[in-house]
Short mmCIF file of all heavy atoms in Angstrom, two decimals:
data_model
loop_
_atom_site.label_atom_id
_atom_site.label_comp_id
_atom_site.label_asym_id
_atom_site.label_seq_id
_atom_site.Cartn_x
_atom_site.Cartn_y
_atom_site.Cartn_z
N ALA A 135 -13.81 -9.87 -27.98
CA ALA A 135 -12.75 -10.10 -28.97
C ALA A 135 -12.05 -11.44 -28.80
O ALA A 135 -11.61 -12.04 -29.78
CB ALA A 135 -11.73 -8.97 -28.91
N THR A 136 -11.95 -11.91 -27.55
CA THR A 136 -11.15 -13.10 -27.30
C THR A 136 -11.88 -14.23 -26.58
O THR A 136 -11.38 -15.36 -26.56
CB THR A 136 -9.92 -12.75 -26.43
OG1 THR A 136 -10.38 -12.34 -25.14
CG2 THR A 136 -9.08 -11.64 -27.06
N GLY A 137 -13.00 -13.90 -25.97
CA GLY A 137 -13.69 -14.89 -25.15
C GLY A 137 -13.18 -14.92 -23.72
O GLY A 137 -13.74 -15.60 -22.87
N TYR A 138 -12.10 -14.20 -23.44
CA TYR A 138 -11.54 -14.15 -22.10
C TYR A 138 -12.35 -13.19 -21.24
O TYR A 138 -12.78 -12.14 -21.70
CB TYR A 138 -10.09 -13.67 -22.11
CG TYR A 138 -9.10 -14.72 -22.54
CD1 TYR A 138 -8.98 -15.10 -23.87
CD2 TYR A 138 -8.28 -15.33 -21.60
CE1 TYR A 138 -8.07 -16.06 -24.26
CE2 TYR A 138 -7.37 -16.30 -21.97
CZ TYR A 138 -7.26 -16.66 -23.30
OH TYR A 138 -6.37 -17.60 -23.69
N ARG A 139 -12.50 -13.55 -19.99
CA ARG A 139 -13.21 -12.72 -19.04
C ARG A 139 -12.26 -12.41 -17.88
O ARG A 139 -11.53 -13.29 -17.43
CB ARG A 139 -14.43 -13.46 -18.52
CG ARG A 139 -15.27 -12.67 -17.53
CD ARG A 139 -16.50 -13.42 -17.11
NE ARG A 139 -17.41 -13.50 -18.25
CZ ARG A 139 -18.39 -14.38 -18.36
NH1 ARG A 139 -18.62 -15.25 -17.39
NH2 ARG A 139 -19.17 -14.38 -19.42
N LEU A 140 -12.26 -11.15 -17.43
CA LEU A 140 -11.45 -10.80 -16.27
C LEU A 140 -11.97 -11.58 -15.07
O LEU A 140 -13.17 -11.67 -14.86
CB LEU A 140 -11.53 -9.29 -15.98
CG LEU A 140 -10.89 -8.38 -17.02
CD1 LEU A 140 -11.09 -6.92 -16.62
CD2 LEU A 140 -9.42 -8.68 -17.21
N PRO A 141 -11.07 -12.19 -14.30
CA PRO A 141 -11.52 -13.00 -13.17
C PRO A 141 -12.14 -12.12 -12.08
O PRO A 141 -11.60 -11.06 -11.76
CB PRO A 141 -10.24 -13.68 -12.67
CG PRO A 141 -9.12 -12.88 -13.21
CD PRO A 141 -9.62 -12.18 -14.44
N PRO A 142 -13.26 -12.54 -11.52
CA PRO A 142 -13.89 -11.75 -10.45
C PRO A 142 -12.99 -11.73 -9.21
O PRO A 142 -12.33 -12.71 -8.90
CB PRO A 142 -15.20 -12.49 -10.18
CG PRO A 142 -15.03 -13.84 -10.76
CD PRO A 142 -13.99 -13.75 -11.83
N GLY A 143 -12.95 -10.60 -8.55
CA GLY A 143 -12.18 -10.47 -7.33
C GLY A 143 -10.69 -10.33 -7.53
O GLY A 143 -9.93 -10.35 -6.57
N ARG A 144 -10.26 -10.20 -8.75
CA ARG A 144 -8.82 -10.11 -9.04
C ARG A 144 -8.51 -8.73 -9.58
O ARG A 144 -9.19 -8.24 -10.48
CB ARG A 144 -8.47 -11.18 -10.06
CG ARG A 144 -7.03 -11.22 -10.45
CD ARG A 144 -6.37 -12.47 -9.90
NE ARG A 144 -4.97 -12.47 -10.24
CZ ARG A 144 -4.44 -13.24 -11.14
NH1 ARG A 144 -5.18 -14.11 -11.79
NH2 ARG A 144 -3.16 -13.18 -11.39
N GLU A 145 -7.49 -8.10 -9.04
CA GLU A 145 -7.08 -6.79 -9.51
C GLU A 145 -6.05 -6.95 -10.62
O GLU A 145 -5.26 -7.89 -10.62
CB GLU A 145 -6.48 -5.99 -8.35
CG GLU A 145 -7.49 -5.69 -7.27
CD GLU A 145 -6.90 -4.97 -6.08
OE1 GLU A 145 -5.67 -4.84 -5.97
OE2 GLU A 145 -7.68 -4.52 -5.24
N ILE A 146 -6.07 -6.02 -11.57
CA ILE A 146 -5.08 -6.05 -12.65
C ILE A 146 -4.29 -4.76 -12.63
O ILE A 146 -4.72 -3.73 -12.10
CB ILE A 146 -5.74 -6.26 -14.03
CG1 ILE A 146 -6.71 -5.13 -14.36
CG2 ILE A 146 -6.41 -7.60 -14.11
CD1 ILE A 146 -7.24 -5.19 -15.78
N SER A 147 -3.09 -4.82 -13.19
CA SER A 147 -2.22 -3.65 -13.31
C SER A 147 -1.99 -3.39 -14.78
O SER A 147 -1.72 -4.31 -15.56
CB SER A 147 -0.89 -3.90 -12.62
OG SER A 147 -1.10 -4.08 -11.24
N ILE A 148 -2.09 -2.12 -15.15
CA ILE A 148 -1.91 -1.72 -16.54
C ILE A 148 -0.71 -0.80 -16.63
O ILE A 148 -0.71 0.27 -16.01
CB ILE A 148 -3.17 -1.01 -17.06
CG1 ILE A 148 -4.39 -1.93 -16.93
CG2 ILE A 148 -2.97 -0.55 -18.51
CD1 ILE A 148 -5.71 -1.25 -17.19
N PRO A 149 0.33 -1.19 -17.37
CA PRO A 149 1.50 -0.32 -17.49
C PRO A 149 1.21 0.86 -18.41
O PRO A 149 0.41 0.76 -19.34
CB PRO A 149 2.56 -1.24 -18.09
CG PRO A 149 1.79 -2.30 -18.81
CD PRO A 149 0.48 -2.46 -18.08
N GLY A 150 1.85 1.97 -18.14
CA GLY A 150 1.70 3.17 -18.96
C GLY A 150 2.75 4.19 -18.55
O GLY A 150 3.67 3.88 -17.80
#
Side-chain angles (χ1 to χ4, degrees):
T136 66
Y138 282 75
R139 181 177 291 161
L140 293 178
R144 180 110 182 253
E145 296 177 350
I146 61 172
S147 296
I148 302 170

